[in-house]
Amino acid sequence: GNDTVKAGDGHNRILAGAGGDNITTGSGEDVVVGDNASLTYNNAGVLVELISLDTTTGGNDTINTGNGDNLIIAGAGNDDVTGGTGNDVVVGDSGS
Ligand SMILES: [Ca+2]
Ligand SMILES: [Ca+2]
């Protein structure tokens, strides 16, 4: 569905799923996925793989991340992504 997610500071992992989602995060290294994706971590807890799932469905997401090094996959749809200061990696549609 259409979700509104507000996360504070810190290292957040957000998978909003289908629908037009509104996601806001604070400072920290965030991983934000507007639609569906699979995250794989190694034994040390480091994210090693992030793959979009179900790439034909997705909503129009609004994503605002705070400062920090963020990784954002907006997924399908007309998405609006705004990052703060930091080294952000933004994928507008699907990616891995
Ligand atoms: Ca959703
Ligand atoms: Ca989307």
Side-chain angles (χ1 to χ4, degrees), residues 1-5 15-23 33-36 59 61:
N2 300 332
D3 304 305
T4 297
V5 180
L15 298 171
D21 304 305
N22 192 325
I23 303 163
V33 178
D35 296 308
N36 296 300
D61 304 304

Side-chain angles (χ1 to χ4, degrees), residues 5-12 14 24-30 66:
V5 180
K6 288 188 179 6
D9 297 343
H11 301 339
N12 302 298
I14 298 168
T24 305
T25 69
S27 299
E29 298 176 12
D30 302 315

Side-chain angles (χ1 to χ4, degrees), residues 11 13 27-31 66-71 85-89:
H11 301 339
R13 306 286 176 265
S27 299
E29 298 176 12
D30 302 315
V31 176
N67 298 335
D69 298 341
N70 304 301
L71 176 58
T85 60
N87 298 315
D88 297 327
V89 176

Side-chain angles (χ1 to χ4, degrees), residues 52-56 73-76 91-96:
S52 301
L53 299 178
D54 199 7
T55 56
T56 57
I73 295 185
V91 179
D93 290 315
S94 299
S96 67

